[in-house]
């Protein structure tokens, strides 16, 4: 089991997660407890529409967004400028980033993780290629490009092209899997996308490159995930690896910011740790714990 030790001042910053930085509409710097540094988020879903409706979603859909479409030139210009701001260190001259602990004052990754599922963006492969080019121009070949995804669209050819471009540019795919049974999946994700499609997509993508699995577990109406659900979750992971899929890490985390539904609450640190141990014991995969904001 592994976990991150986060100073209190940093955890306050994590919760800010500003969607807008200065006047940016598509690119926002975030202090990432998971990556241990600055993550530049790219929002490919400014309309806030998602093909999932997760009960724990942290996207505020009560307020209408000011921007509905991805404007590629504006997004690339914002990426260019923000990369410069981080690389030069000028980002840390201004609040709230002036409170960033020294150890986290590094650019870790560019993350496609906006207000919806990034792979539903119709020009997904083109935007990945264009962002990789900006990164290359800045000489940041080692900086990761992380795709945070629900894996529902991996079967589409333009998404597969985008994933291949990520592979060639220090890419890493964090695929959401947080259920073991169809029933629990539908309860948590509230989507018409079949669970089987998500499982097949993850298995196929993991056969081509190692994936990171990200799994959020929570209390639903006061109840933590049932033991049999967690056992089934481990069985699904084992099926993916038995089919030749490579999984390099299973991230177990819980609710850290206000969720979509009031009946959702974080697990305690001990409960998160117990799931990490279960995954390690039943699958042999490395797993890591990420705790809730309250640190309960
Ligand atoms: S897939 Fe992500 S953005 Fe979409 S509803 Fe779920 S948590 Fe929210």
């Amino acid at each position: 089991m592994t976990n991150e030790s986060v100073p209190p001042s940093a955890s306050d910053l994590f919760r800010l997660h500003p969607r807008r930085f200065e006047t940016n509409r598509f690119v926002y710097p975030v202090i990432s407890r998971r990556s241990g540094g600055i993550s530049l988020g790219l929002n490919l879903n400014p309309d806030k529409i998602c093909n999932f409706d997760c009960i724990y979603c942290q996207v505020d859909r009560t307020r209408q967004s000011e921007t509905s479409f991805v404007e590629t030139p504006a997004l690339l210009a914002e990426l260019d400028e923000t990369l410069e701001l981080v690389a030069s260190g000028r980002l840390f001259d201004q609040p709230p980033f002036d409170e960033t602990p020294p150890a986290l004052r590094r650019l870790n990754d560019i993350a496609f993780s906006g207000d919806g599922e990034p792979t539903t963006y119709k020009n997904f492969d083109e935007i990945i290629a264009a962002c990789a080019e900006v990164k290359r121009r800045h000489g940041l070949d080692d900086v990761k490009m992380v795709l945070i995804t629900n894996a529902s669209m991996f079967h589409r050819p333009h998404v597969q092209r985008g994933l291949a471009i990520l592979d060639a540019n220090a890419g890493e795919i964090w695929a959401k899997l947080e259920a073991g049974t169809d029933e629990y999946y539908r309860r948590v994700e509230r989507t018409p996308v079949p669970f089987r499609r998500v499982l097949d997509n993850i298995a196929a993508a993991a056969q081509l490159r190692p994936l990171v699995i990200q799994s959020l577990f929570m209390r639903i109406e006061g109840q933590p995930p049932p033991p049999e659900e967690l056992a089934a979750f481990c069985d699904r992971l084992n099926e993916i690896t038995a089919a030749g899929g490579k999984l390099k890490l299973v991230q177990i985390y819980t609710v850290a910011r206000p969720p979509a539904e009031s009946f959702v609450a974080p697990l305690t640190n001990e409960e998160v740790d117990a799931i990490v141990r279960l995954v390690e014991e039943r699958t042999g995969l490395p797993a890591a714990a990420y705790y809730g904001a309250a640190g309960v």
Side-chain angles (χ1 to χ4, degrees), residues 53-62 190 255 257-264:
D53 180 22
C54 304
I55 56 176
Y56 64 80
C57 186
Q58 299 150 351
V59 175
D60 179 3
R61 295 194 169 89
T62 60
R190 299 191 298 196
V255 180
R257 282 170 278 155
E261 301 293 353
S262 58
F263 54 80
V264 170

Side-chain angles (χ1 to χ4, degrees), residues 221-243:
E221 288 166 351
Q223 298 304 313
E228 53 275 20
E229 185 62 35
L230 294 173
F233 168 71
C234 292
D235 291 345
R236 301 293 85 75
L237 293 174
N238 283 331
E239 286 161 10
I240 291 165
T241 51

Side-chain angles (χ1 to χ4, degrees), residues 31 35 43 47 54 56 123 134 187 259-260 267 271 274 285 292-293:
I31 300 173
S35 70
N43 187 6
D47 58 6
C54 304
Y56 64 80
N123 298 323
V134 174
R187 187 173 185 202
L267 297 179
E271 287 169 327
L285 293 167

Side-chain angles (χ1 to χ4, degrees), residues 29-107:
V30 169
I31 300 173
S32 167
R33 58 183 175 157
R34 279 183 289 191
S35 70
I38 297 289
S39 175
L40 281 196
L42 268 65
N43 187 6
L44 301 187
N45 306 87
D47 58 6
K48 300 189 181 184
I49 294 172
C50 189
N51 62 350
F52 278 29
D53 180 22
C54 304
I55 56 176
Y56 64 80
C57 186
Q58 299 150 351
V59 175
D60 179 3
R61 295 194 169 89
T62 60
R63 284 187 303 163
Q64 208 173 0
S65 55
E66 292 164 32
T67 304
S68 299
F69 302 102
V70 174
E71 295 162 28
T72 304
L75 183 148
L76 296 175
E78 287 180 12
L79 177 61
D80 193 41
E81 287 163 17
T82 314
L83 281 176
E84 171 58 31
L85 210 53
V86 182
S88 68
R90 282 188 292 128
L91 177 78
F92 305 111
D93 293 340
Q94 43 195 299
F97 296 95
D98 55 344
E99 291 180 43
T100 308
L104 301 185
R105 292 188 177 210
R106 50 178 285 278
L107 176 60

